[in-house]
Amino acid sequence: AQKITQTQPGMFVQEKEAVTLDCTYDTSDPSYGLFWYKQPSSGEMIFLIYQGSYDQQNATEGRYSLNFQKARKSANLVISASQLGDSAMYFCAMREGGSGYSTLTFGKGTMLLVSP
Amino acid sequence: DADVTQTPRNRITKTGKRIMLECSQTKGHDRMYWYRQDPGLGLRLIYYSFDVKDINKGEISDGYSVSRQAQAKFSLSLESAIPNQTALYFCATSDFLGGANTGELFFGEGSRLTVL
């Protein structure tokens, strides 16, 4: 089974609207971390936001927020007030375990296009 | 200068050639990783190293080898390149997990390899 599932290969949104990018995960470890990265057309990987499994509050970073629903094993990224510069590929990733000796597993990504 | 530097950034080679991708970092992190990105497949882990004396295979290590020459240097080799190794390769580093450290990956700018 896939550890990280991103079901939306592509999403379209108009500028200034909010958009939600879906991510579900699969783990039996009670300690884990969830990450979102952005990859613009230039290719670099940009860290956006992090949510720990024991965090009580949903993570927020500026216009990015993570809608963390633990029971449903989902960690959707919400981008508010979309901008043209948000057009990019977005990856969800998970670190399993709290020992520190684990790696990140990535989903297949969602391509977001923001139109004027 | 970038904290995580990959060389070369672009390389075109022929089937059967030996290729080395190099990664160096100034972040002082012990942990280093090599990922491969293919369209529609996300990022997949090739090899990783938690310290200078540690080397581990990832999800897709066949056809690749690595060398951890120092804390700051981690090289990926393709002993005999084949066309299906055409991909975007990323080196990444991370700090230990704990305190404020989430295990976030810090990526290099990527090395685009084409095998003809």
Side-chain angles (χ1 to χ4, degrees):
Chain A
Q2 286 188 26
K3 294 283 187 180
I4 294 287
T5 302
Q6 295 181 255
T7 57
Q8 307 152 314
M11 289 284 287
F12 294 90
V13 67
Q14 274 202 309
E15 202 176 4
K16 300 180 186 177
E17 292 185 348
V19 62
T20 298
L21 306 184
D22 293 342
C23 174
T24 57
Y25 58 92
D26 181 27
T27 182
S28 57
D29 198 313
S31 178
Y32 53 89
L34 297 156
F35 303 78
W36 278 93
Y37 283 84
K38 172 184 178 181
Q39 185 182 42
S41 58
S42 52
E44 71 267 32
M45 295 289 288
I46 302 167
F47 167 73
L48 294 178
I49 197 166
Y50 168 80
Q51 179 85 43
S53 60
Y54 295 120
D55 293 344
Q56 295 297 312
Q57 305 263 359
N58 285 348
T60 60
E61 291 286 348
R63 294 186 298 110
Y64 304 108
S65 60
L66 201 153
N67 184 1
F68 182 45
Q69 298 188 41
K70 201 168 183 176
R72 298 180 62 185
K73 294 189 176 180
S74 74
N76 298 340
L77 178 70
V78 180
I79 306 175
S80 63
S82 297
Q83 301 173 356
L84 296 178
D86 293 332
S87 293
M89 180 72 83
Y90 290 79
F91 292 100
C92 180
M94 176 174 65
R95 182 204 74 243
E96 290 182 272
S99 71
Y101 292 96
S102 57
T103 60
L104 265 65
T105 301
F106 286 80
K108 295 183 178 182
T110 295
M111 175 65 76
L112 175 66
L113 291 178
V114 181
S115 60
Chain B
D1 288 344
D3 293 328
V4 184
T5 303
Q6 294 183 230
T7 55
R9 296 289 313 281
N10 289 282
R11 182 72 182 268
I12 300 173
T13 190
K14 294 183 179 180
T15 298
K17 293 291 188 182
R18 184 178 188 274
I19 292 295
M20 179 180 286
L21 306 180
E22 298 184 327
C23 178
S24 63
Q25 53 114 345
T26 58
K27 297 195 73 67
H29 291 164
D30 285 329
R31 294 150 190 238
M32 298 188 74
Y33 312 80
W34 277 103
Y35 282 87
R36 166 180 171 162
Q37 182 182 6
D38 298 277
L41 295 180
L43 279 75
R44 293 179 293 166
L45 185 61
I46 307 172
Y47 270 97
Y48 60 102
S49 169
F50 285 143
D51 63 45
V52 174
K53 297 181 181 179
D54 177 71
I55 299 288
N56 303 282
K57 293 182 177 180
E59 178 188 354
I60 53 164
S61 60
D62 286 351
Y64 302 95
S65 62
V66 290
S67 173
R68 185 80 186 267
Q69 300 95 327
Q71 186 207 37
K73 296 185 181 297
F74 193 35
S75 301
L76 176 72
S77 293
L78 289 68
E79 295 301 326
S80 179
I82 56 176
N84 78 359
Q85 291 178 313
T86 293
L88 180 60
Y89 291 84
F90 283 104
C91 175
T93 74
S94 69
D95 205 345
F96 69 93
L97 180 66
N101 295 322
T102 63
E104 172 194 347
L105 292 181
F106 296 86
F107 284 88
E109 295 167 306
S111 295
R112 189 167 296 280
L113 176 65
T114 302
V115 183
L116 302 177

